[in-house]
Amino acid sequence: MTVITVTSRELSQGVARAKRAAKSGPVFITDRGKPAHVLLSIDEYRRLANQRRNLAEALSMPGLAGIEFELHRARIRTTAPDLD
């Protein structure tokens, strides 16, 4: 899958090109250098919207290997309420 990144300005100047690029993969649109939006073909959007995944499947998606993710066990302590 090809991933393309364009700036908001580039998108404004070449919408047709971005739409063609979205046929082969997502087009990331940046604002001030940070990803802000993703342009997908309608078929890809429908495929993603209709997918049911569990957390393990979502975290094993291609392209996510470089993201660091640590889980820490939450410790929740309860105390009896003071009713006096």
Side-chain angles (χ1 to χ4, degrees), residues 58-73:
L59 291 174
S60 67
M61 291 172 48
L64 297 181
I67 297 175
E68 293 182 27
F69 181 75
E70 290 183 36
L71 291 175
H72 298 280
R73 181 172 295 276

Side-chain angles (χ1 to χ4, degrees), residues 13-41:
Q13 296 171 351
V15 173
R17 191 177 89 221
K19 287 167 57 176
R20 280 192 303 273
K23 291 179 182 178
S24 63
V27 176
F28 289 86
I29 303 160
T30 61
D31 282 332
R32 295 184 178 97
K34 296 181 181 177
H37 305 281
V38 178
L39 179 65
L40 300 171
S41 68

